[in-house]
Amino acid sequence: MGFLCFFFSMQPVYGAQHPPLDPRIQFLKDTPKTNSLNVKSKKASSFHEFARSTNDAWDIEDEDDEGLLGATHTSAAPRPPLSTLSECEADAHPAGRQSPVVKSSSEAQLNTTAVRSTLQKQQSLPMRPIIPLVARMSDQNASGAPPMTIREKSRLDKFRQLLAAPNTDLEELRKHSWSGIPREVRPITWRLLSGYLPANMERRELVLRRKREEYFGFIEQYYDSRTDEHHRDTYRQIHTDIPRTNPLIPLFQQPLVQEVFERILFIWAIRHPASGYVQGINDLVTPFFVVFLSEFVEEDVENFEMSALPLETQRNIEADSFWCMSKLLDGIQDNYTFAQPGIQIKVKALEELVSRIDEDIHSHFQKYEVEYLQFAFRWMNNLLMRELPLRCTIRLWDTYQAESEGFSHFHLYVCAAFLIEWRKEILSMSDFQNLLMLLQNLPTIHWGNEEVGLLLAEAYRLKYMFADAPNHYRR
């Protein structure tokens, strides 16, 4: 691994699921602005210099902090063609309409000890609201919406009809998936859209059996080598990062689940020596794992005991997660090779795009010397997974898998739309510290499908305006 990849792999990454607030953070104290963050003292002239001179604004020696800054936020966004919006998203779209935030039952019944611990950690941070730590991952039809409507039932029937065909029409499946995939058919749809399963129904069972056997052949072939000298550092870094993956959701703290993630990540790293393992890849397993687990779990997945499933089912979920994550990474591997050129290019493209679509935000960043790399690196490296609750990531990935080059190209426009979503808050900040605080801890904890739908609608509009005319976003 190159120095740069190793550098970023050592940085704890926080966000919607990794709250960083801690009374010990130096720049929350009344210290002079010039001493608060190293980044501002000297502008980096290259990506490598940036890596050497910059630490994550939330980098603290432990990752157990549970304080969380959050607030509700909803805004209207321009509408893509009606065919791309589900009923709940289309209803939410008319000008100015905002939906109330509805807390799930798991948010309302927080563990008393966890709340007390959070209050103690934040006692020196007055005026910071306390909000639920663990957001439900259950996929609802909208943010806390009741059972599916007639239209949603009709959509589900259409999906089942497509999936039951002898040869699934993948273009038609993508078209219907753009506005969200019903939970009941999401696992099979994701396997198809990722390219893991063939469209031909007769071949699917054979392919599944062969690919699952192939994965566990890799385990037998490679996994024992994790203690070898030339693989030891890779395994150690994976082993360190796994507990940081969704640390506030009980499912991911189960030793059995963490062992699954270790095997998936180690095998992928060994089979992809050009990049190896880079921190951030661990997050990309999570949505696949949750979606494939949900095929066997009716209640909320977040508290499910993995050991309750038959061993063969556990193995199938692990193998399918590995192959689908591998398909995703095949399209964005230059994000993780030496010097991470894919991320450099995408961050620069984001800067150019924002400079054209919202000059006020761009000028505001320049005025206070905020570099896009300081917040957008994580957005590209982790595909916004550290900025959004997991339930929102799953909904976002429905569209990414339906879009041509969704993860590698459409994601740029989603990031631009996501940044503009916080325009009012950004322009209200008049110093470097608070701007970076906001950008690295955007309050999305209460977001649901409606907010993600609006975000995607705006991203669709931006792509329509700029994707085929790149000179439009170049000065």
Side-chain angles (χ1 to χ4, degrees):
M1 288 297 298
F3 168 78
L4 181 61
C5 297
F6 176 77
F7 172 88
F8 278 107
S9 74
M10 297 302 290
Q11 302 302 310
V13 185
Y14 300 100
Q17 300 175 57
H18 295 67
L21 292 181
D22 190 293
R24 296 167 295 171
I25 295 179
Q26 184 65 26
F27 58 77
L28 290 181
K29 300 178 183 179
D30 295 325
T31 55
K33 177 179 173 181
T34 55
N35 294 330
S36 58
L37 289 171
N38 294 341
V39 180
K40 198 175 178 183
S41 61
K42 178 184 177 182
K43 281 201 170 184
S45 60
S46 72
F47 193 75
H48 289 275
E49 283 189 33
F50 177 86
R52 287 194 293 269
S53 64
T54 307
N55 288 328
D56 192 297
W58 309 116
D59 191 6
I60 296 296
E61 64 264 24
D62 67 84
E63 25 320 303
D64 295 327
D65 307 315
E66 294 179 347
L68 185 59
L69 172 63
T72 61
H73 184 89
T74 330
S75 67
R79 178 195 295 265
L82 288 176
S83 62
T84 64
L85 287 175
S86 65
E87 181 182 38
C88 67
E89 292 163 1
D91 290 344
H93 216 287
R97 177 172 178 178
Q98 296 185 355
S99 60
V101 173
V102 181
K103 295 182 181 179
S104 65
S105 59
S106 65
E107 291 175 340
Q109 299 174 0
L110 284 172
N111 182 278
T112 305
T113 304
V115 175
R116 184 181 299 116
S117 173
T118 303
L119 289 169
Q120 290 171 349
K121 285 178 179 290
Q122 291 197 348
Q123 61 186 353
S124 63
L125 300 174
M127 304 302 293
R128 296 195 178 277
I130 304 299
I131 64 174
L133 294 175
V134 182
R136 286 166 64 98
M137 295 187 307
S138 56
D139 178 46
Q140 299 159 322
N141 301 311
S143 301
M148 69 175 64
T149 64
I150 294 175
R151 179 183 172 87
E152 288 165 342
K153 186 178 185 303
S154 175
R155 289 188 75 243
L156 176 58
D157 291 341
K158 180 61 178 177
F159 271 91
R160 285 176 169 156
Q161 180 183 344
L162 285 168
L163 295 168
N167 287 284
T168 298
D169 186 336
L170 294 180
E171 284 305 310
E172 193 70 11
L173 187 62
R174 289 189 182 95
K175 176 183 173 183
H176 285 80
S177 298
W178 203 101
S179 55
I181 303 170
R183 173 182 175 132
E184 295 85 348
V185 293
R186 181 175 277 135
I188 180 66
T189 303
W190 275 28
R191 290 186 185 102
L192 284 164
L193 293 183
S194 68
Y196 174 43
L197 279 187
N200 183 276
M201 179 178 283
E202 290 184 357
R203 293 181 53 222
R204 288 177 195 166
E205 194 59 41
L206 178 63
V207 169
L208 273 179
R209 185 165 59 251
R210 177 173 60 82
K211 298 299 282 185
R212 288 166 176 171
E213 289 174 356
E214 186 178 357
Y215 169 72
F216 282 99
F218 294 154
I219 296 292
E220 293 179 9
Q221 182 178 355
Y222 298 119
Y223 197 58
D224 286 344
S225 70
R226 67 191 183 278
T227 57
D228 293 353
E229 184 175 355
H230 56 295
H231 291 153
R232 194 177 301 154
D233 288 344
T234 296
Y235 178 72
R236 182 184 298 116
Q237 188 61 56
I238 291 171
H239 186 73
T240 300
D241 288 345
I242 292 302
R244 300 171 179 167
T245 306
N246 302 290
L248 304 178
I249 298 176
L251 171 69
F252 298 104
Q253 300 312 305
Q254 296 174 30
L256 185 61
V257 173
Q258 293 185 357
E259 290 168 9
V260 167
F261 276 53
E262 285 184 2
R263 286 192 293 270
I264 289 173
L265 294 169
F266 183 77
I267 297 303
W268 189 89
I270 295 303
R271 287 178 47 78
H272 295 82
S275 61
Y277 172 75
V278 179
Q279 189 186 33
I281 295 177
N282 55 309
D283 283 329
L284 305 186
V285 185
T286 307
F288 293 114
F289 181 81
V290 169
V291 166
F292 297 145
L293 177 60
S294 70
E295 204 168 8
F296 307 96
V297 181
E298 293 184 2
E299 66 268 24
D300 287 333
V301 178
E302 63 188 34
N303 292 306
F304 183 75
E305 283 292 331
M306 187 71 175
S307 58
L309 289 176
L311 180 58
E312 182 180 1
T313 300
Q314 296 178 33
R315 288 166 60 90
N316 291 344
I317 291 170
E318 178 177 344
D320 292 356
S321 299
F322 169 82
W323 285 116
C324 288
M325 183 199 74
S326 297
K327 290 287 187 180
L328 185 164
L329 288 170
D330 285 347
I332 58 171
Q333 194 171 352
D334 63 345
N335 283 7
Y336 305 106
T337 53
F338 175 71
Q340 301 183 265
I343 290 181
Q344 295 189 57
I345 292 169
K346 290 180 178 73
V347 171
K348 183 62 178 176
L350 177 65
E351 181 176 357
E352 292 175 344
L353 181 58
V354 172
S355 73
R356 299 306 291 166
I357 63 179
D358 198 318
E359 190 171 357
D360 289 344
I361 286 181
H362 185 69
S363 298
H364 198 67
F365 286 162
Q366 289 182 324
K367 179 179 179 180
Y368 294 106
E369 301 182 42
V370 173
E371 302 285 346
Y372 283 76
L373 202 59
Q374 292 163 351
F375 61 90
F377 174 88
R378 189 171 75 192
W379 295 11
M380 303 301 176
N381 190 62
N382 301 78
L383 296 176
L384 287 177
M385 284 195 62
R386 297 293 174 110
E387 322 310 319
L388 298 170
L390 183 53
R391 62 185 181 275
C392 294
T393 296
I394 290 172
R395 167 62 191 91
L396 189 67
W397 284 24
D398 286 347
T399 299
Y400 280 6
Q401 297 199 77
E403 271 281 330
S404 174
E405 298 182 314
F407 293 98
S408 60
H409 185 62
F410 187 62
H411 181 67
L412 168 66
Y413 299 97
V414 172
C415 286
F418 187 63
L419 182 63
I420 304 306
E421 171 75 9
W422 309 101
R423 185 179 198 277
K424 180 180 177 181
E425 290 83 353
I426 289 169
L427 295 179
S428 70
M429 299 292 176
S430 57
D431 65 272
F432 174 83
Q433 296 176 26
N434 285 321
L435 271 169
L436 209 56
M437 259 179 103
L438 171 70
L439 291 166
Q440 294 191 342
N441 290 271
L442 292 164
T444 61
I445 192 68
H446 291 301
W447 273 33
N449 284 1
E450 291 176 10
E451 290 80 4
V452 175
L454 297 177
L455 177 70
L456 289 165
E458 175 64 6
Y460 180 93
R461 184 184 73 84
L462 293 175
K463 182 190 174 196
Y464 180 81
M465 291 175 62
F466 296 103
D468 296 325
N471 288 334
H472 286 187
Y473 61 75
R474 287 181 183 164
R475 289 187 175 278

